[in-house]
Amino acid sequence: IVTYKDTLSNAEISLSLTDIKLLFCPKATDQEAALFLELCRYQGLNPFVRDAYLLKYSDGPGSVATMVVGKDSFTKRAEAHPQFAGMVAGVIVQDSSGAVEYRKGSLILENEKLVGGWAEIHRMDRKIPTEIPVSFREYDTGRSGWKSMPGTMIRKVALVQALREAFPLTFAGLYDAAEMKVELPDEDAAEGMKQIAPPVIHTSKDRPAGEPSNPSAPFCDEHKVYFEEKRSSKTNVVGWV
């Protein structure tokens, strides 16, 4: 068991290879689970709150696991950095005349062609911002979010790449699922994150036997047991009152 602290919340996290293979990626090998554990420890990531994912869809010959980080993990850590001074991102579109426009956000009109995404990150200790354009053609898989919300997806790719270049020590070795062309379980097309129901607050008399008294607290053995039993549930219980 490895114990470390979440970089953002400073909560203590206890994680073992058994936890990783049982709760997050049953098909992972011991080596893949160990690498994921070391990444989480080094970067202070908490996989219990979806900071990071270990994905492997087959345990056949040649199959390998992929380690990815949620986009929110990038943006929250950037905002916590003492030198962070803001960011802006958007899409690159081409109209019917061939003119190319760098546009903030992810709006694409019917007569326009999406050709890429871009992001600009500002640091207080640098005079020149980090600017990154990326090609839509290089990342488009034609599936899931790339099919339903391509502008949102390519903008996200540009944003996490720019953050990684602007803050190399903070984001070393961290990649978003969209960059790696993998899909998260129950992927939300808009953000590439798991879909969960709105938070539900119950009274203490409704609390099922065995459920942690405070699911939002730092994870302990009590949480792990309940998480294993209820991991297929899409209800997010935030606390008992």
Side-chain angles (χ1 to χ4, degrees):
I1 297 178
V2 174
T3 300
Y4 60 95
K5 289 190 176 182
D6 184 310
T7 300
L8 296 179
S9 68
N10 208 37
E12 189 172 90
I13 303 166
S14 294
L15 192 61
S16 69
L17 298 184
T18 300
D19 293 332
I20 293 171
K21 297 181 70 173
L22 182 64
L23 303 177
F24 304 116
C25 189
K27 292 182 171 62
T29 64
D30 287 345
Q31 182 180 17
E32 290 168 337
L35 290 173
F36 181 69
L37 176 58
E38 180 59 21
L39 174 69
C40 290
R41 184 201 64 79
Y42 177 75
Q43 291 287 4
L45 298 168
N46 186 350
F48 291 103
V49 295
R50 300 170 184 165
D51 276 349
Y53 300 82
L54 182 63
L55 306 175
K56 190 174 186 180
Y57 299 106
S58 171
D59 53 6
S63 178
V64 296
T66 302
M67 293 175 277
V68 296
V69 176
K71 180 183 74 70
D72 288 348
S73 296
F74 281 87
T75 54
K76 287 188 290 187
R77 279 165 171 74
E79 290 180 353
H81 196 285
Q83 298 299 336
F84 179 71
M87 60 187 177
V88 61
V91 293
I92 306 172
V93 296
Q94 184 178 45
D95 64 20
S96 56
S97 69
V100 173
E101 176 187 351
Y102 280 61
R103 178 180 298 156
K104 294 179 182 179
S106 56
L107 174 66
I108 306 167
L109 302 179
E110 290 186 4
N111 63 336
E112 294 175 332
K113 176 183 178 182
L114 176 63
V115 295
W118 64 275
E120 182 177 295
I121 311 299
H122 294 259
R123 289 183 56 139
M124 290 187 288
D125 58 346
R126 295 180 183 176
K127 294 182 178 180
I128 301 175
T130 299
E131 301 179 38
I132 296 292
V134 295
S135 170
F136 177 72
R137 184 173 54 188
E138 291 183 13
Y139 294 95
D140 177 31
T141 65
R143 304 188 307 270
S144 190
W146 289 104
K147 183 178 181 179
S148 58
M149 293 187 176
T152 297
M153 297 296 284
I154 197 62
R155 177 185 179 274
K156 179 172 66 168
V157 170
L159 183 58
V160 297
Q161 286 195 15
L163 286 170
R164 192 166 52 245
E165 186 161 324
F167 300 97
L169 296 180
T170 303
F171 299 114
L174 303 185
Y175 295 87
D176 183 82
E179 292 181 279
M180 304 302 290
K181 299 183 179 182
V182 297
E183 298 175 13
L184 300 179
D186 298 324
E187 185 178 39
D188 181 336
E191 292 295 338
M193 301 295 291
K194 284 187 178 180
Q195 294 178 356
I196 56 176
V200 178
I201 298 179
H202 300 282
T203 61
S204 57
K205 63 184 178 64
D206 297 322
R207 176 185 167 195
E211 178 154 331
S213 56
N214 183 7
S216 299
F219 274 80
C220 59
D221 290 340
E222 181 189 16
H223 290 79
K224 292 177 181 178
V225 170
Y226 184 73
F227 186 85
E228 177 188 353
E229 294 174 349
K230 299 296 184 181
R231 62 184 182 270
S232 62
S233 173
K234 290 180 183 279
T235 299
N236 180 25
V237 179
V238 298
W240 302 97
V241 295

